[in-house]
Amino acid sequence: MNSGAATDPHGYLDTVFLLGSLAADRGAPRWTFGLGAALAGVCWFAALGFGARLLGRFLARPWRVLDGLVAVTMPALGATLMAGS
């Protein structure tokens, strides 16, 4: 199954333009910043892929546990945001 990463133009736009413009503001260590950010992206997507493989059996069951976690998390997040504003 194709993940769509190779056909996702938003990924390329984000990497080239957004990351490039942020790195340009860093002065002399801009290449280090850009390479570090790119490496962080690779690590993030690798962790997502391996995590999905590890959690596949758990998430193949009925979604009650995951739905329960979301049902607890969303109101807590909303209350936290409202309390901070």
Side-chain angles (χ1 to χ4, degrees):
M1 185 165 126
N2 186 2
S3 66
T7 60
D8 183 16
H10 297 298
Y12 295 120
L13 289 173
D14 287 345
T15 302
V16 173
F17 291 110
L18 181 65
L19 184 59
S21 65
L22 287 173
D25 291 340
R26 302 293 181 242
R30 66 181 173 264
W31 290 105
T32 306
F33 174 82
L35 289 174
L39 181 62
V42 169
C43 291
W44 171 251
F45 286 111
L48 282 178
F50 288 121
R53 189 180 79 184
L54 292 173
L55 291 174
R57 287 186 178 163
F58 174 73
L59 294 176
R61 296 181 194 159
W63 289 78
R64 289 185 180 166
V65 174
L66 185 60
D67 287 342
L69 290 172
V70 171
V72 170
T73 302
M74 294 304 286
L77 181 62
T80 303
L81 289 173
M82 287 191 307
S85 62

